[in-house]
Amino acid sequence: MDPNLPYLTLLILIGCPECFPDGLQQNGTRRHDYCVLGAGPSGLQMGYFLSRAKRDYVIIERNSGPGSFFNKYPRHRKLISINKIYTGSQNREFNMRHDWNSLLSHRPDLLLKRVSRDFFPPADAFPVYLSMFEKELGLRVRYGVDIGRIGAVRSPEGRRYILTDQHQLDYKCSVLLVASGLWVPQRAEFVGSDLVEGYESISTDPEDYKDQAVLILGKGNSAFETAQSISGRAKLVHMLSPNPVRLAWQTHYVGDLRAVNNDLLDTYQLKSLDGLAEIPLDKIAITQLKEQCRSRSGAKKKVKKPKFYVTLKKYLRHQEEKNGSDATGEETLEYHLDNFSMRKPYDRVISCLGFRFNFSIFHSSARPLNSDNARGRLPRLTAWYEGEDTPGLFVLGTAAHSRDYRSSAGGFVHGFRYTVRSVHRVLEQRYHGNAWQSTELSTTQLQSWILKRINEASGPYQMFEVLGDVILLRGSRCEYVEEFTLQALPRFSSLSGHEVSDHGLIVLVMQYGKKKVDYLGRGRADTEWTTAWKSNFLHPVLYYYDKLPTDEEMKLRPSGWTLPRPKAIHHMVEDFLTEWGTPISHIQPLRRFLEHCVQTDLRAFYAESCFRLSLAHRRPPLFCQQGYLERQGVARDSRLWQHGQDGGPRPTERDEGTSGEDPAFPTYLAQAGASFSAGLKLDF
């Protein structure tokens, strides 16, 4: 008898996670630390970070391959996310600013351009790319697992989430990362909504719309994509929604109408039959005339091509009894307003109102709350993307767009690949004690590092006003923390694992101006550095705080402000080339602002200047302290160095742990010509 047999039998009886493949337990439950729901781009992106950190995770996908949404959508098979291959730069980080499709990885070749080189790639290319990403990185994905119920339970180890699939098998995890995207069509309920076709089921063959009058509900990209496809065959295309069309080049929001889809604006404005109108959809009714539905004898007759009329619900008699196929001529809008823009009948009505989050699979114990924005289509989340009432449940990707809805790029691949990384860093700190990745610098290196980030970093550039760099000042040194979630700044220490010293902190943000201007008109840009705060286009802004803002200050910040009022703020003037590196307009004002924050001279000096300053001042500039006086850059046999040594002991550097201004600082600032610039707003 094998002496190990009793031991093995005992392990089977008590249950041993390591004894079963893929975390499978004897009762059929699979246990993991992390469950990622969905193998779309955000799910695979999180899987990559978990895999690199060697965590116990599984990605669960109901379909047979990754990115299944893109097998069907967009319906007319062209992505509107740019794939700019040639930028004139070999810098990977910079190039990701102009690659809106690729995911983050350590592999420089694992980009969408391996699959498509089109500026607007075909939709079919994206699932191919995601499959390549998953296979080449060896991510752990279980396909064909359709989760129908998600619940939460309490256990001695804490809160756990249980995901039940179509075979009644359970997946139990400590942390649930929901990356299922948005795929449930958004509907508008009104009288006659049963007569409306959905974007998800319409024909994409333009010939099927030949010589037809078509009404499209919605004015987003899916609506205009549909209109653009059929306008060459349809008799006319009208578009109806509660609000006027919003153009991405005016709002700087990539979810608004993109130029690649806006051909119908030409035919509308140049009066070629097509048109746009605004009516609240809950006020309308789509009807068929009663005469179409019945013959004079009262018997039903077949109508091959029914016509649909738009009217207002208030004109319908006995509204509670009406359906979409029963209206009289007196109930149409033409009867009440003979010049109503939509008085003519339509052959088809199509709903293109976007998608919503699937709340239906969540049990009440695990269901996220509905967001206050986006008409409640999205889950309500904290600033670090955790459900407000569901601790341990995080939402990733498009479904997490409630945090920056209509204000940044968090609903799109080029934005949420960075928010996913931020969530992973939160997880590493909370559950594994690994502080948010940071870089320790000498304060004399700070300006150069900031300029490097401003001109190369893709995360703050794409997730403007949402992700920003936090610089922790520590006297002669500083700590640089990249891409922190700005709205969580009051919780910075607990989320990042880094403490703020008495020297304060600087937050670097990319943001647009708040003034509404004609973005194609004269005077749309401000190029004068002395009025940098008037910049309208994307530009860097630095906020200086002597301590972390509180939750209350964050809540009560001025309207339109990314962060609460700081002790000092500095705008770097917008730049046509988005290159913030000119010596007078960009670098010198930045240095003066930083000198004010760190209370020391940040200029670089030649050895001779350091020697003279060391003889004339008790505390020479920091560059000289850390360079010249530490024998950096001076030859060992230098008589100049010996002369300095013979002159007497140099003053010791102030303890980094103390605070307070250097009394000699104004002298150095004056010598540097460092008066406050007009671009530096310090008084509130």
Side-chain angles (χ1 to χ4, degrees):
M1 178 177 176
D2 188 340
N4 295 321
L5 185 57
Y7 174 71
L8 294 173
T9 304
L10 178 62
L11 287 178
I12 294 173
L13 290 175
I14 65 175
C16 171
E18 291 80 6
C19 301
F20 295 89
D22 298 325
L24 180 64
Q25 302 294 295
Q26 63 199 43
N27 59 1
T29 299
R30 286 181 164 84
R31 300 176 187 271
H32 299 276
D33 292 339
Y34 298 95
C35 290
V36 182
L37 183 60
S42 62
L44 295 183
Q45 185 67 87
M46 177 55 78
Y48 166 76
F49 292 124
L50 292 173
S51 178
R52 292 286 287 179
K54 295 180 170 53
R55 302 303 174 202
D56 173 28
Y57 77 97
V58 64
I59 303 174
I60 302 170
E61 170 58 46
R62 63 177 181 159
N63 292 292
S64 58
S68 57
F69 177 88
F70 297 93
N71 290 328
K72 183 175 182 179
Y73 302 107
R75 293 299 313 281
H76 300 89
R77 312 312 293 146
K78 180 192 284 188
L79 300 178
I80 58 173
S81 47
I82 65 175
N83 181 38
K84 192 171 182 61
I85 296 173
Y86 303 105
T87 65
S89 173
Q90 299 300 314
N91 185 290
R92 288 177 57 196
E93 182 71 9
F94 173 83
N95 288 341
M96 289 298 278
R97 289 184 171 187
H98 311 288
D99 178 349
W100 289 11
N101 302 279
S102 299
L103 300 181
L104 305 177
S105 77
H106 63 284
R107 291 269 303 276
D109 62 321
L110 206 50
L111 304 174
L112 185 82
K113 66 181 181 181
R114 278 178 54 184
V115 179
S116 173
R117 303 184 73 81
D118 294 339
F119 189 71
F120 292 113
D124 292 332
F126 200 53
V128 175
Y129 166 71
L130 294 179
S131 180
M132 179 179 71
F133 186 88
E134 175 240 319
K135 291 177 181 177
E136 295 191 17
L137 294 173
L139 305 183
R140 294 197 289 270
V141 187
R142 294 187 64 87
Y143 293 109
V145 180
D146 190 1
I147 299 299
R149 183 184 185 277
I150 298 175
V153 295
R154 295 282 182 182
S155 70
E157 298 82 16
R159 186 180 177 93
R160 295 289 185 269
Y161 288 92
I162 300 177
L163 292 69
T164 305
D165 69 10
Q166 72 271 36
H167 303 300
Q168 300 306 306
L169 296 177
D170 291 339
Y171 292 78
K172 183 177 286 189
C173 51
S174 303
V175 179
L176 174 58
L177 300 155
V178 181
S180 53
L182 306 179
W183 56 271
V184 179
Q186 176 75 1
R187 300 293 189 195
E189 294 298 327
F190 50 82
V191 176
S193 58
D194 56 305
L195 300 175
V196 177
E197 301 175 69
Y199 171 73
E200 71 280 2
S201 59
I202 60 171
S203 169
T204 56
D205 183 357
E207 291 298 326
D208 290 341
Y209 302 86
K210 185 176 180 180
D211 200 30
Q212 293 184 359
V214 180
L215 174 64
I216 296 177
L217 305 181
K219 295 197 190 95
N221 280 294
S222 63
F224 272 90
E225 162 210 325
T226 302
Q228 188 157 297
S229 172
I230 68 177
S231 62
R233 292 292 182 270
K235 176 172 63 178
L236 60 86
V237 178
H238 289 169
M239 307 185 75
L240 179 66
S241 72
N243 301 305
V245 64
R246 290 179 285 233
L247 304 172
W249 56 266
Q250 287 182 325
T251 63
H252 306 301
Y253 175 58
V254 295
D256 285 334
L257 179 60
R258 302 285 300 286
V260 67
N261 283 329
N262 70 7
D263 287 2
L264 198 85
L265 295 183
D266 268 5
T267 54
Y268 168 45
Q269 292 294 325
L270 299 178
K271 308 310 295 179
S272 185
L273 297 178
D274 301 327
L276 282 66
E278 290 77 43
I279 303 177
L281 296 185
D282 60 346
K283 305 294 184 185
I284 70 168
I286 304 295
T287 65
Q288 292 176 287
L289 291 183
K290 187 180 296 184
E291 289 75 9
Q292 285 185 267
C293 303
R294 297 181 181 274
S295 64
R296 293 181 181 178
S297 62
K300 290 185 179 180
K301 67 176 183 178
K302 295 182 179 179
V303 179
K304 292 183 179 180
K305 293 183 178 180
K307 300 291 185 179
F308 305 108
Y309 291 80
V310 177
T311 187
L312 295 181
K313 185 170 65 173
K314 66 180 181 180
Y315 293 135
L316 296 179
R317 303 169 185 170
H318 312 295
Q319 296 176 21
E320 67 281 358
E321 301 177 3
K322 291 293 177 182
N323 58 45
S325 302
D326 192 7
T328 65
E330 294 180 357
E331 293 174 301
T332 63
L333 262 175
E334 185 179 11
Y335 181 85
H336 299 272
L337 300 169
D338 64 352
N339 68 336
F340 175 59
S341 56
M342 296 183 171
R343 59 185 178 272
K344 297 295 184 180
Y346 295 96
D347 297 289
R348 308 174 83 143
V349 182
I350 301 172
S351 174
C352 299
L353 299 175
F355 300 90
R356 66 192 318 274
F357 183 71
N358 182 21
F359 290 94
S360 66
I361 63 174
F362 292 90
H363 182 263
S364 58
S365 60
R367 187 187 188 280
L369 301 175
N370 292 71
S371 62
D372 296 325
N373 56 12
R375 301 188 299 278
R377 296 185 299 118
L378 305 174
R380 190 191 306 171
L381 306 173
T382 66
W384 50 96
Y385 300 94
E386 187 173 19
E388 285 194 359
D389 279 358
T390 53
L393 186 154
F394 294 80
V395 181
L396 312 175
T398 304
H401 195 29
S402 58
R403 286 304 314 174
D404 61 309
Y405 183 66
R406 297 197 49 76
S407 61
S408 196
F412 313 90
V413 174
H414 64 288
F416 66 61
R417 61 191 178 196
Y418 300 105
T419 60
V420 169
R421 182 162 64 184
S422 295
V423 171
H424 178 254
R425 288 171 172 169
V426 170
L427 298 176
E428 284 293 305
Q429 162 60 17
R430 179 185 295 184
Y431 298 107
H432 308 286
N434 296 325
W436 201 290
Q437 182 179 347
S438 65
T439 303
E440 187 174 346
L441 303 168
S442 164
T443 300
T444 57
Q445 298 173 300
L446 180 56
Q447 176 181 289
S448 298
W449 199 266
I450 289 175
L451 289 171
K452 176 181 174 64
R453 290 286 295 169
I454 286 171
N455 289 294
E456 295 178 2
S458 181
Y461 188 89
Q462 301 292 13
M463 287 305 296
F464 52 89
E465 303 183 23
V466 174
L467 298 181
D469 293 350
V470 179
I471 304 155
L472 305 174
L473 304 178
R474 308 199 190 283
S476 63
R477 304 199 68 79
C478 61
E479 199 168 1
Y480 201 104
V481 180
E482 298 179 0
E483 297 173 20
F484 188 77
T485 51
L486 296 176
Q487 300 308 306
L489 192 60
R491 313 287 183 89
F492 175 80
S493 296
S494 61
L495 292 174
S496 71
H498 297 282
E499 296 297 329
V500 178
S501 75
D502 293 339
H503 294 276
L505 66 153
I506 298 172
V507 183
L508 169 62
V509 187
M510 301 294 290
Q511 64 184 56
Y512 283 93
K514 303 305 177 184
K515 182 180 177 182
K516 291 185 177 181
V517 299
D518 180 356
Y519 286 103
L520 292 179
R522 293 183 181 275
R524 58 187 177 272
D526 197 300
T527 58
E528 177 55 53
W529 67 269
T530 58
T531 55
W533 58 277
K534 293 183 178 180
S535 296
N536 294 314
F537 289 88
L538 193 67
H539 64 285
V541 183
L542 293 94
Y543 297 73
Y544 169 69
Y545 298 93
D546 58 356
K547 60 182 179 180
L548 279 175
T550 64
D551 286 318
E552 187 70 11
E553 289 172 334
M554 181 65 74
K555 182 179 179 180
L556 299 177
R557 67 187 186 276
S559 176
W561 280 51
T562 303
L563 293 169
R565 291 187 184 275
K567 289 293 182 181
I569 188 171
H570 176 64
H571 290 255
M572 294 181 68
V573 69
E574 60 192 341
D575 189 78
F576 182 76
L577 301 176
T578 61
E579 294 178 359
W580 291 274
T582 59
I584 296 176
S585 296
H586 298 129
I587 297 177
Q588 182 171 271
L590 171 63
R591 176 174 59 80
R592 291 172 175 173
F593 171 77
L594 295 177
E595 287 175 334
H596 168 71
C597 296
V598 302
Q599 290 293 299
T600 192
D601 191 337
L602 293 180
R603 290 177 298 169
F605 294 88
Y606 290 111
E608 183 179 352
S609 299
C610 283
F611 173 70
R612 294 178 181 276
L613 290 167
S614 299
L615 294 178
H617 299 275
R618 286 180 52 83
R619 184 180 170 116
L622 192 59
F623 182 87
C624 295
Q625 293 179 39
Q626 296 179 343
Y628 175 78
L629 295 180
E630 293 294 334
R631 305 190 183 199
Q632 299 295 320
V634 180
R636 292 185 180 181
D637 59 347
S638 171
R639 285 177 292 179
L640 187 62
W641 171 258
Q642 185 61 45
H643 183 68
Q645 290 290 89
D646 295 340
R650 61 184 176 88
T652 58
E653 185 178 341
R654 185 190 319 204
D655 182 11
E656 293 182 11
T658 62
S659 60
E661 295 186 0
D662 180 358
F665 172 69
T667 305
Y668 288 115
L669 210 56
Q671 292 176 359
S675 58
F676 296 141
S677 69
L680 180 61
K681 302 183 70 178
L682 299 170
D683 298 323
F684 299 96

